[in-house]
Amino acid sequence: MSCSASPGPRSPWSSRWGAWLALRFRFGYDRSIAESAYSGLFHAVSAFNNAGFGLHVDSITPYAQDPWVTLPIALAVILGGLGFPVLLELMRHRTRRRLTGRRTWTLHTRMTLLTTAALLLTGTVFTCLLEWTNAGTLGPFDWDEKLLNGFFHSAMSRTAGFNAVDIGAMHASTLLMTCTLMFIGGGSAGTAGGIKVTTFAVLAAAIWAEVRGEPNSTVMGRRLAPHVLRQALTVALLAVGLVIAATLALLTVSSAPMEAVLFEAVSAFGTVGLSTGITADFPDSGRLVLILLMFVGRLGPVTLVSALALRERTRRYQLPEERPVIG
């Protein structure tokens, strides 16, 4: 179904995916040249920008069993969701490696790539496990088609918005897993929404350091600055509070099940656009809540981190230290 958009520019990758999709629509579905070209470019740009707008009310469901359509769209979504700093570094890396013979990725790029891969794999595995026998989603497909659509759903949950199966027919457990992926989102300074994968990775590193009793949080041989941990914690907790408040507001104006309402709220915050099909049933007040969520979800994390960075200052004194009881 058509979805909320995260704005972004066209890119060379969009043109390449668009040309591939246009050829597939032309020769695989016997469409006219003009229709194939327009449809291919539209879906490629929409995918790379993590917008999720489709030309049909059923989104990508007619192509659920066609890897020549779903895989290019999924790859375009993943590429666009990495974030422009990572894409720029990857392009520069090709030239730098030819000159120096060494791989010199920054910590941000390594964290983004590793966390993205881990989340894609986790989403694929859990989607397949939870929906393997569901007659309304993956059940009717062959095993290879189930894996394909499990991967596609995992990629789309990263704020892309296309759907190849009926979201409303998914189990509540799958919706909760999808909410987690949508809440995390994609890479920083890109077309994706959510709290961003680096925020999630920083929080995971802090938890791991605390469990091991280490004084500092480290990632890939680098120590994370304390202010980075505070920024990540602030963004995550404010986002949780915002989603909970929006969910409570939506529950007061709707009789839909809580898991469906929570899904709509997280999808709006992450500017994903996936829906269980209950959005049209919300009154005007409920739709206004979703609109505000999309706006805050698109600009909120970026604005908040920028404001925190600008307000950072060094104290000339230290208060006495005391440790309250935790847990």
Side-chain angles (χ1 to χ4, degrees):
M1 63 178 55
S2 299
C3 325
S4 59
S6 296
R10 281 185 54 186
S11 70
W13 293 288
S14 299
S15 301
R16 295 169 187 172
W17 300 131
W20 176 266
L21 291 173
L23 291 174
R24 182 57 180 171
F25 291 144
R26 174 72 178 101
F27 298 105
Y29 296 90
D30 198 27
R31 297 183 181 178
S32 66
I33 296 177
E35 183 182 2
S36 299
Y38 176 72
S39 182
L41 182 61
F42 185 95
H43 284 94
V45 173
S46 181
F48 180 79
N49 289 334
N50 278 217
F53 282 116
L55 295 175
H56 311 286
V57 294
D58 50 2
S59 190
I60 307 298
T61 52
Y63 313 107
Q65 297 169 281
D66 188 352
W68 302 107
V69 173
T70 55
L71 284 181
I73 290 178
L75 293 176
V77 165
I78 295 169
L79 195 62
L82 291 177
F84 295 116
V86 174
L87 294 179
L88 183 60
E89 184 170 351
L90 292 178
M91 289 189 295
R92 289 178 174 175
H93 164 72
R94 297 177 60 183
T95 303
R96 187 162 57 240
R97 191 175 185 184
R98 284 198 299 265
L99 296 176
T100 64
R102 294 181 301 172
R103 178 174 295 173
T104 55
W105 287 344
T106 62
L107 178 62
H108 172 76
T109 295
R110 287 182 288 164
M111 288 177 62
T112 300
L113 293 176
L114 180 61
T115 309
T116 296
L119 291 174
L120 283 172
L121 177 61
T122 301
T124 301
V125 171
F126 275 93
T127 301
C128 290
L129 288 177
L130 297 173
E131 298 293 322
W132 193 267
T133 58
N134 187 346
T137 55
L138 302 184
F141 297 145
D142 296 331
W143 69 269
D144 54 337
E145 295 170 345
K146 293 180 180 180
L147 293 177
L148 171 66
N149 282 275
F151 171 75
F152 187 82
H153 179 72
S154 178
M156 296 307 107
S157 300
R158 312 299 307 292
T159 83
F162 292 109
N163 65 286
V165 295
D166 184 7
I167 302 297
M170 286 184 167
H171 297 307
S173 55
T174 311
L175 294 180
L176 180 59
M177 182 274 300
T178 305
C179 283
T180 304
L181 296 178
M182 294 191 299
F183 184 78
I184 296 173
S188 300
T191 60
I195 64 171
K196 305 299 188 294
V197 294
T198 45
T199 303
F200 174 75
V202 166
L203 293 176
I207 294 173
W208 181 242
E210 192 64 29
V211 169
R212 298 181 63 182
E214 297 181 353
N216 298 309
S217 300
T218 59
V219 177
M220 301 178 185
R222 294 291 187 270
R223 177 172 56 87
L224 299 178
H227 74 273
V228 174
L229 300 177
R230 294 195 300 269
Q231 288 178 356
L233 185 62
T234 301
V235 170
L237 288 182
L238 288 179
V240 169
L242 179 65
V243 169
I244 291 177
T247 302
L248 289 174
L250 291 173
L251 285 172
T252 61
V253 299
S254 172
S255 59
M258 190 191 71
E259 64 270 16
V261 174
L262 175 64
F263 187 93
E264 301 295 319
V266 177
S267 181
F269 169 77
T271 64
V272 184
L274 291 176
S275 175
T276 57
I278 65 172
T279 305
D281 299 330
F282 285 145
D284 292 342
S285 57
R287 297 176 189 178
L288 180 60
V289 170
L290 294 179
I291 292 173
L292 293 175
L293 263 180
M294 286 186 280
F295 182 80
V296 175
R298 177 66 264 183
L299 299 179
V302 177
T303 305
L304 178 60
V305 171
S306 300
L308 291 175
L310 291 174
R311 287 177 56 85
E312 185 178 345
R313 60 183 185 270
T314 302
R315 284 185 179 271
R316 298 183 182 274
Y317 61 92
Q318 294 290 337
L319 295 173
E321 182 179 298
E322 189 168 348
R323 301 181 63 179
V325 177
I326 303 296

Short mmCIF file of all heavy atoms in Angstrom, two decimals, residues 219-251:
data_model
loop_
_atom_site.label_atom_id
_atom_site.label_comp_id
_atom_site.label_asym_id
_atom_site.label_seq_id
_atom_site.Cartn_x
_atom_site.Cartn_y
_atom_site.Cartn_z
N VAL A 219 33.86 -0.33 21.11
CA VAL A 219 33.32 -0.94 19.90
C VAL A 219 34.44 -1.05 18.88
O VAL A 219 35.05 -0.03 18.52
CB VAL A 219 32.16 -0.11 19.31
CG1 VAL A 219 31.67 -0.72 18.01
CG2 VAL A 219 31.01 0.00 20.29
N MET A 220 34.74 -2.27 18.46
CA MET A 220 35.72 -2.50 17.40
C MET A 220 37.05 -1.81 17.69
O MET A 220 37.64 -1.14 16.83
CB MET A 220 35.17 -2.03 16.05
CG MET A 220 33.89 -2.72 15.63
SD MET A 220 33.25 -2.09 14.06
CE MET A 220 31.69 -3.00 13.96
N GLY A 221 37.52 -1.95 18.92
CA GLY A 221 38.81 -1.40 19.28
C GLY A 221 38.83 0.09 19.53
O GLY A 221 39.91 0.69 19.60
N ARG A 222 37.67 0.69 19.68
CA ARG A 222 37.59 2.12 19.95
C ARG A 222 36.73 2.36 21.20
O ARG A 222 35.71 1.71 21.39
CB ARG A 222 36.98 2.88 18.77
CG ARG A 222 37.82 2.86 17.51
CD ARG A 222 39.09 3.68 17.71
NE ARG A 222 39.85 3.81 16.47
CZ ARG A 222 40.79 2.95 16.07
NH1 ARG A 222 41.07 1.90 16.84
NH2 ARG A 222 41.45 3.15 14.94
N ARG A 223 37.16 3.34 22.03
CA ARG A 223 36.39 3.70 23.23
C ARG A 223 35.39 4.78 22.88
O ARG A 223 35.73 5.77 22.23
CB ARG A 223 37.33 4.19 24.33
CG ARG A 223 36.64 4.65 25.59
CD ARG A 223 37.66 4.92 26.68
NE ARG A 223 38.67 5.88 26.23
CZ ARG A 223 38.53 7.20 26.33
NH1 ARG A 223 37.42 7.72 26.86
NH2 ARG A 223 39.50 7.99 25.91
N LEU A 224 34.15 4.60 23.30
CA LEU A 224 33.10 5.57 23.02
C LEU A 224 33.12 6.68 24.06
O LEU A 224 33.21 6.43 25.26
CB LEU A 224 31.73 4.88 23.02
CG LEU A 224 31.52 3.78 21.97
CD1 LEU A 224 30.15 3.15 22.13
CD2 LEU A 224 31.68 4.34 20.57
N ALA A 225 33.02 7.90 23.58
CA ALA A 225 33.02 9.06 24.49
C ALA A 225 31.75 9.05 25.34
O ALA A 225 30.68 8.66 24.88
CB ALA A 225 33.11 10.35 23.68
N PRO A 226 31.84 9.49 26.61
CA PRO A 226 30.66 9.49 27.49
C PRO A 226 29.49 10.29 26.94
O PRO A 226 28.33 9.90 27.11
CB PRO A 226 31.20 10.10 28.79
CG PRO A 226 32.65 9.81 28.78
CD PRO A 226 33.06 9.89 27.34
N HIS A 227 29.76 11.42 26.28
CA HIS A 227 28.65 12.24 25.78
C HIS A 227 27.91 11.53 24.65
O HIS A 227 26.72 11.78 24.44
CB HIS A 227 29.16 13.61 25.31
CG HIS A 227 29.90 13.58 24.01
ND1 HIS A 227 31.26 13.34 23.93
CD2 HIS A 227 29.48 13.76 22.73
CE1 HIS A 227 31.64 13.37 22.67
NE2 HIS A 227 30.60 13.62 21.92
N VAL A 228 28.58 10.63 23.93
CA VAL A 228 27.90 9.86 22.89
C VAL A 228 26.88 8.91 23.53
O VAL A 228 25.76 8.74 23.02
CB VAL A 228 28.92 9.08 22.04
CG1 VAL A 228 28.21 8.14 21.05
CG2 VAL A 228 29.83 10.04 21.28
N LEU A 229 27.26 8.29 24.63
CA LEU A 229 26.35 7.39 25.35
C LEU A 229 25.14 8.17 25.87
O LEU A 229 24.00 7.69 25.78
CB LEU A 229 27.08 6.71 26.50
CG LEU A 229 28.29 5.85 26.14
CD1 LEU A 229 28.93 5.30 27.41
CD2 LEU A 229 27.89 4.70 25.22
N ARG A 230 25.37 9.36 26.41
CA ARG A 230 24.26 10.16 26.94
C ARG A 230 23.32 10.59 25.81
O ARG A 230 22.09 10.58 25.98
CB ARG A 230 24.79 11.38 27.68
CG ARG A 230 25.57 11.06 28.95
CD ARG A 230 25.73 12.30 29.81
NE ARG A 230 26.45 13.35 29.09
CZ ARG A 230 27.77 13.51 29.13
NH1 ARG A 230 28.51 12.69 29.84
NH2 ARG A 230 28.34 14.50 28.46
N GLN A 231 23.87 10.96 24.67
CA GLN A 231 23.03 11.36 23.54
C GLN A 231 22.18 10.18 23.06
O GLN A 231 20.99 10.34 22.77
CB GLN A 231 23.90 11.89 22.40
CG GLN A 231 24.52 13.25 22.67
CD GLN A 231 25.42 13.71 21.54
OE1 GLN A 231 25.65 12.98 20.58
NE2 GLN A 231 25.93 14.92 21.65
N ALA A 232 22.80 9.01 22.94
CA ALA A 232 22.06 7.83 22.49
C ALA A 232 20.94 7.48 23.46
O ALA A 232 19.81 7.16 23.04
CB ALA A 232 23.01 6.64 22.33
N LEU A 233 21.23 7.53 24.75
CA LEU A 233 20.22 7.22 25.76
C LEU A 233 19.09 8.24 25.73
O LEU A 233 17.90 7.88 25.84
CB LEU A 233 20.86 7.18 27.15
CG LEU A 233 19.96 6.75 28.30
CD1 LEU A 233 19.46 5.34 28.10
CD2 LEU A 233 20.72 6.87 29.62
N THR A 234 19.41 9.50 25.55
CA THR A 234 18.39 10.55 25.50
C THR A 234 17.47 10.36 24.30
O THR A 234 16.24 10.44 24.42
CB THR A 234 19.06 11.94 25.43
OG1 THR A 234 19.89 12.11 26.58
CG2 THR A 234 18.01 13.03 25.40
N VAL A 235 18.05 10.12 23.14
CA VAL A 235 17.25 9.93 21.93
C VAL A 235 16.33 8.72 22.07
O VAL A 235 15.14 8.78 21.75
CB VAL A 235 18.17 9.76 20.70
CG1 VAL A 235 17.37 9.31 19.48
CG2 VAL A 235 18.88 11.07 20.38
N ALA A 236 16.87 7.61 22.58
CA ALA A 236 16.08 6.38 22.68
C ALA A 236 14.94 6.53 23.68
O ALA A 236 13.80 6.15 23.39
CB ALA A 236 16.99 5.22 23.09
N LEU A 237 15.21 7.09 24.86
CA LEU A 237 14.17 7.19 25.87
C LEU A 237 13.08 8.20 25.48
O LEU A 237 11.90 7.97 25.72
CB LEU A 237 14.78 7.59 27.21
CG LEU A 237 15.60 6.50 27.91
CD1 LEU A 237 16.13 6.99 29.26
CD2 LEU A 237 14.79 5.23 28.10
N LEU A 238 13.47 9.31 24.88
CA LEU A 238 12.46 10.27 24.41
C LEU A 238 11.61 9.66 23.31
O LEU A 238 10.40 9.90 23.24
CB LEU A 238 13.14 11.55 23.93
CG LEU A 238 13.72 12.46 25.02
CD1 LEU A 238 14.37 13.69 24.40
CD2 LEU A 238 12.64 12.88 26.02
N ALA A 239 12.23 8.86 22.44
CA ALA A 239 11.46 8.20 21.38
C ALA A 239 10.48 7.19 21.96
O ALA A 239 9.34 7.09 21.51
CB ALA A 239 12.42 7.52 20.40
N VAL A 240 10.92 6.43 22.95
CA VAL A 240 10.02 5.48 23.62
C VAL A 240 8.85 6.22 24.25
O VAL A 240 7.68 5.81 24.11
CB VAL A 240 10.79 4.67 24.68
CG1 VAL A 240 9.82 3.88 25.55
CG2 VAL A 240 11.76 3.72 24.01
N GLY A 241 9.13 7.31 24.95
CA GLY A 241 8.06 8.08 25.57
C GLY A 241 7.09 8.65 24.56
O GLY A 241 5.87 8.65 24.78
N LEU A 242 7.61 9.11 23.43
CA LEU A 242 6.75 9.67 22.39
C LEU A 242 5.84 8.60 21.80
O LEU A 242 4.63 8.83 21.60
CB LEU A 242 7.62 10.29 21.28
CG LEU A 242 6.88 10.90 20.10
CD1 LEU A 242 6.04 12.09 20.55
CD2 LEU A 242 7.87 11.32 19.02
N VAL A 243 6.38 7.44 21.51
CA VAL A 243 5.58 6.36 20.93
C VAL A 243 4.52 5.88 21.91
O VAL A 243 3.37 5.62 21.54
CB VAL A 243 6.50 5.19 20.50
CG1 VAL A 243 5.67 3.96 20.14
CG2 VAL A 243 7.36 5.60 19.31
N ILE A 244 4.88 5.75 23.19
CA ILE A 244 3.91 5.32 24.20
C ILE A 244 2.78 6.34 24.33
O ILE A 244 1.59 5.98 24.38
CB ILE A 244 4.61 5.10 25.55
CG1 ILE A 244 5.53 3.88 25.48
CG2 ILE A 244 3.58 4.91 26.67
CD1 ILE A 244 6.32 3.64 26.74
N ALA A 245 3.14 7.63 24.38
CA ALA A 245 2.11 8.66 24.50
C ALA A 245 1.19 8.66 23.28
O ALA A 245 -0.04 8.78 23.41
CB ALA A 245 2.78 10.04 24.65
N ALA A 246 1.75 8.50 22.08
CA ALA A 246 0.93 8.46 20.87
C ALA A 246 0.04 7.22 20.85
O ALA A 246 -1.12 7.29 20.43
CB ALA A 246 1.83 8.49 19.64
N THR A 247 0.58 6.10 21.31
CA THR A 247 -0.22 4.87 21.35
C THR A 247 -1.41 5.02 22.30
O THR A 247 -2.53 4.61 22.00
CB THR A 247 0.65 3.68 21.77
OG1 THR A 247 1.75 3.55 20.87
CG2 THR A 247 -0.15 2.39 21.76
N LEU A 248 -1.17 5.62 23.47
CA LEU A 248 -2.27 5.86 24.41
C LEU A 248 -3.32 6.78 23.81
O LEU A 248 -4.53 6.55 23.97
CB LEU A 248 -1.71 6.47 25.71
CG LEU A 248 -0.88 5.54 26.60
CD1 LEU A 248 -0.28 6.32 27.75
CD2 LEU A 248 -1.74 4.39 27.12
N ALA A 249 -2.86 7.82 23.10
CA ALA A 249 -3.81 8.74 22.47
C ALA A 249 -4.64 8.03 21.40
O ALA A 249 -5.86 8.25 21.30
CB ALA A 249 -3.05 9.93 21.85
N LEU A 250 -4.01 7.17 20.63
CA LEU A 250 -4.73 6.45 19.58
C LEU A 250 -5.70 5.43 20.16
O LEU A 250 -6.78 5.20 19.61
CB LEU A 250 -3.74 5.76 18.63
CG LEU A 250 -2.89 6.69 17.76
CD1 LEU A 250 -1.84 5.88 17.00
CD2 LEU A 250 -3.77 7.45 16.77
N LEU A 251 -5.32 4.80 21.27
CA LEU A 251 -6.20 3.82 21.90
C LEU A 251 -7.47 4.48 22.44
O LEU A 251 -8.53 3.83 22.52
CB LEU A 251 -5.46 3.10 23.03
CG LEU A 251 -4.43 2.05 22.60
CD1 LEU A 251 -3.65 1.55 23.80
CD2 LEU A 251 -5.10 0.88 21.88
#
